[in-house]
Amino acid sequence: MNKTAKSILTAIAVIMLGVFLAAPSSARSTWDTSPVQVTRHVTPTPKIVDLRVGQHSTYDRVVIDMSGPIPGYRISYVKALYYDGSGETVPLRGARFIKITLTPASAHDSQGHSVYQGPRLTQYAMPTLRGAAFTGDFEGVVSFGISLSHLKSFRVFELHAPNRLVIDLHH
């Protein structure tokens, strides 16, 4: 094998390694409507401290802030949203709903005081995002619900320093 061929093969190997290392396996950088599930067993148990939203030119964004490692999560469309524990319907306006569960996680400290500072139930008038609700913090599971104007694809990824989970909702 000549020097040029070796250089080309080395360049291809570096590019391929970069492709595999560029996004964590838990990320779904493509737009889709199917559920996203990542299972993790992390310690210490992360504290979920906030939920923020923002509107961009082609998508609406939901960001869940946490203290500690990023827990496992499941994000999926559901027919309706319910508060954990009571089973009462979450009163968010919208045509479609997405449930977000984080586990293991908590939104309270060791004395039972809430560390979550985000919205409990808020309506929005963004192109896709219509509402967000904190729906539960029980037995190592923290849950949220978001309402949408219509069925749209979404993507999920993680950011670090500080740790946060990002859900983008396509317009």
Side-chain angles (χ1 to χ4, degrees), residues 52-54 56 59-63 129 155 157 166-168:
R52 301 175 287 125
V53 302
H56 298 271
Y59 60 90
D60 297 334
R61 175 167 283 179
V62 175
V63 178
L129 182 63
R155 65 182 177 188
F157 57 96
V166 179
I167 302 111
D168 286 342

Side-chain angles (χ1 to χ4, degrees), residues 28-41:
R28 181 176 81 191
S29 59
T30 58
W31 297 95
D32 195 354
T33 58
S34 62
V36 174
Q37 182 160 343
V38 172
T39 302
R40 286 196 181 107
H41 303 286

Side-chain angles (χ1 to χ4, degrees), residues 7-164:
S7 295
I8 291 171
L9 287 175
T10 301
I12 290 170
V14 167
I15 290 169
M16 292 305 294
L17 182 61
V19 167
F20 290 116
L21 295 177
S25 61
S26 59
R28 181 176 81 191
S29 59
T30 58
W31 297 95
D32 195 354
T33 58
S34 62
V36 174
Q37 182 160 343
V38 172
T39 302
R40 286 196 181 107
H41 303 286
V42 296
T43 56
T45 299
K47 303 290 187 219
I48 307 305
V49 297
D50 200 3
L51 179 140
R52 301 175 287 125
V53 302
Q55 182 178 331
H56 298 271
S57 61
T58 59
Y59 60 90
D60 297 334
R61 175 167 283 179
V62 175
V63 178
I64 300 172
D65 296 318
M66 57 202 70
S67 173
I70 296 177
Y73 50 88
R74 179 170 173 76
I75 302 165
S76 63
Y77 274 99
V78 294
K79 292 185 188 263
L81 296 169
Y82 302 97
Y83 286 108
D84 295 347
S86 71
E88 292 181 29
T89 302
V90 177
L92 285 177
R93 292 188 307 268
R96 301 292 181 156
F97 304 98
I98 292 177
K99 182 175 182 177
I100 303 162
T101 56
L102 304 146
T103 185
S106 68
H108 61 275
D109 62 21
S110 59
Q111 288 78 38
H113 302 112
S114 180
V115 297
Y116 177 72
Q117 301 298 313
R120 299 289 174 165
L121 179 70
T122 304
Q123 306 286 352
Y124 302 103
M126 296 181 190
T128 301
L129 182 63
R130 295 305 166 95
F134 177 77
T135 58
D137 175 19
F138 185 67
E139 293 187 350
V141 178
V142 174
S143 58
F144 296 93
I146 56 176
S147 62
L148 311 177
S149 59
H150 50 286
L151 179 71
K152 283 307 248 178
S153 57
F154 63 94
R155 65 182 177 188
V156 178
F157 57 96
E158 300 170 9
L159 295 174
H160 303 280
N163 287 336
R164 53 214 186 274

